[in-house]
Amino acid sequence: MLSGMAKKTAQDDPLAPVTLAVGQEDLLLDRAVREVVAAARAADADTDVRDLTPDQLQPGTLAELTSPSLFSERKVVVVRNAQDLSADTIKDVKAYLGAPAEEITLVLLHAGAAKGKGLLDAARKVGAREVACPKMTKPADRLAFVRSEFRALGRSATPEACQALVDSIGSDLRELASAVSQLTADVEGTIDEAVVGRYYTGRAEASSFTVADRAVEGRAAEALEALRWSLSTGVAPVMITSALAQGVRAIGKLSSARGGRPADLARELGMPPWKIDRVRQQMRGWTPDGVAVALRAVADADAGVKGGGDDPEYALEKAVVTIARAARSRRG
């Protein structure tokens, strides 16, 4: 079922001739497509689905895909990133919008910005069914999204539980949606803050710091195992980069600090005394160059996790291996 966050027009038939999904939130765009495909397959199990990128939709391709066939099969044609279509292909699509084919549902995914606006306007002019898929940048939007996810699954969660989920998981809608479905599958009755805390908050912090501790100790295999476990249990990648950054910075701080008793160093560096003892043990293989390399690896991973790369998991794995290698730089 499409999330309540995706606002829809009054004419809300997923099998309308044209659906326009507008925005840059991948989870909502994918759901808009899934909803149309599910409705088409419910009407005809043999529906043919074509999912195309702009470079696959050349001038003439749409006419080919939508020309009547002998078997008049139902078809769903999905066009991703429609704002990037070539000018000639946009002409084709506009012409098609004026006279859509029977038994065919066209789904246009459009970023909603100025690029390709003519196509957006043309689709709206012919009364395309529209699904809003905005990027959720504000915590309040993510909170509303979490609430709507629980509602869509027919479950109730306290406002504090929804807030705790957003706080502990972060901004990734896929991770938030997956956490909601995990909680509703595992927990009976109203979901409250204590349940979320048990599942995510403590676990996320504990497992993120396990990844960081193993990495700065130079134990790459164990760090990677802890990383995969953390990600599979729904820990937000951003929490792991944060723990890695703290782990490496603590080593940098302590290695450049003057010697002294843990209590004095704790005051000077703003760390609890037990942490000073632990970081001293972890420092053994580190060199100043190693710290610089590790900090760069953390910065790269942070950029990868926050949208600079396609694969947050790969960005984190690469950082963990680099940090573990840097931890052994003194040993050669």
Side-chain angles (χ1 to χ4, degrees):
M1 175 174 163
L2 192 72
S3 153
M5 285 306 296
K7 298 185 199 71
K8 297 175 277 183
T9 53
Q11 150 235 0
D12 190 32
D13 173 12
L15 293 180
V18 182
T19 284
L20 183 61
V22 184
Q24 296 173 45
E25 182 49 70
D26 290 342
L27 174 75
L28 300 181
L29 291 165
D30 284 349
R31 283 186 177 180
V33 171
R34 277 208 309 272
E35 188 189 30
V36 172
V37 170
R41 290 209 161 126
D44 176 357
D46 295 327
T47 295
D48 179 23
V49 178
R50 301 297 174 93
D51 198 326
L52 307 166
T53 55
D55 58 332
Q56 292 171 313
L57 196 68
Q58 296 297 327
T61 311
L62 187 62
E64 239 168 75
L65 287 172
T66 55
S67 60
S69 80
L70 252 58
F71 311 106
S72 75
E73 60 186 345
R74 184 176 281 284
K75 204 178 265 185
V76 175
V77 178
V78 179
V79 181
R80 306 247 168 202
N81 298 312
Q83 72 280 357
D84 296 333
L85 291 169
S86 70
D88 286 341
T89 304
I90 285 178
K91 273 186 209 145
D92 279 5
V93 177
K94 284 181 176 172
Y96 176 81
L97 292 173
E102 291 259 332
E103 299 290 306
I104 288 178
T105 305
L106 177 66
V107 185
L108 296 173
L109 273 51
H110 194 293
K115 189 178 183 192
K117 189 163 183 304
L119 181 56
L120 200 54
D121 294 342
R124 284 173 171 155
K125 202 167 172 186
V126 299
R129 165 183 176 258
E130 188 167 336
V131 182
C133 305
K135 202 79 174 147
M136 294 194 190
T137 49
K138 298 192 183 98
D141 292 342
R142 294 195 284 272
L143 196 54
F145 170 77
V146 166
R147 282 199 206 107
S148 74
E149 288 291 288
F150 279 118
R151 267 201 310 277
L153 292 167
R155 297 294 296 278
S156 63
T158 65
E160 294 79 11
C162 295
Q163 185 65 60
L165 210 48
V166 171
D167 290 345
S168 60
I169 285 180
S171 60
D172 189 308
L173 281 209
R174 283 184 200 282
E175 290 180 12
L176 285 168
S178 138
V180 169
S181 69
Q182 175 84 51
L183 285 166
T184 51
D186 288 2
V187 179
E188 286 175 14
T190 299
I191 289 151
D192 60 17
E193 194 179 3
V195 169
V196 174
R198 211 164 51 240
Y199 262 72
Y200 292 99
T201 317
R203 177 192 295 187
E205 285 185 17
S207 61
S208 301
F209 286 112
T210 304
V211 176
D213 284 340
R214 297 299 84 85
V216 298
E217 287 158 9
R219 293 151 71 178
E222 288 170 51
L224 287 170
E225 192 182 328
L227 171 65
R228 284 168 197 142
W229 184 84
S230 296
L231 293 170
S232 72
T233 56
V235 175
V238 70
M239 290 193 77
I240 298 170
T241 47
S242 167
L244 289 170
Q246 286 180 50
V248 176
R249 279 197 207 108
I251 282 166
K253 274 184 184 175
L254 197 54
S255 56
S256 59
R258 296 179 301 282
R261 292 179 312 131
D264 299 333
L265 283 169
R267 267 195 305 280
E268 188 188 327
L269 302 176
M271 292 181 201
W274 63 264
K275 182 94 188 267
I276 300 279
D277 289 335
R278 176 189 283 178
V279 176
R280 269 190 168 150
Q281 290 169 341
Q282 293 173 335
M283 269 170 53
R284 284 181 191 141
W286 284 89
T287 61
D289 284 349
V291 172
V293 166
L295 285 171
R296 224 175 12 255
V298 172
D300 291 346
D302 194 48
V305 161
K306 289 180 179 162
D310 296 332
D311 189 345
E313 191 169 334
Y314 172 71
L316 285 167
E317 286 185 4
K318 196 171 160 194
V320 161
V321 170
T322 306
I323 292 165
R325 200 173 289 141
R328 296 195 300 274
S329 46
R330 182 161 282 152
R331 297 167 222 170

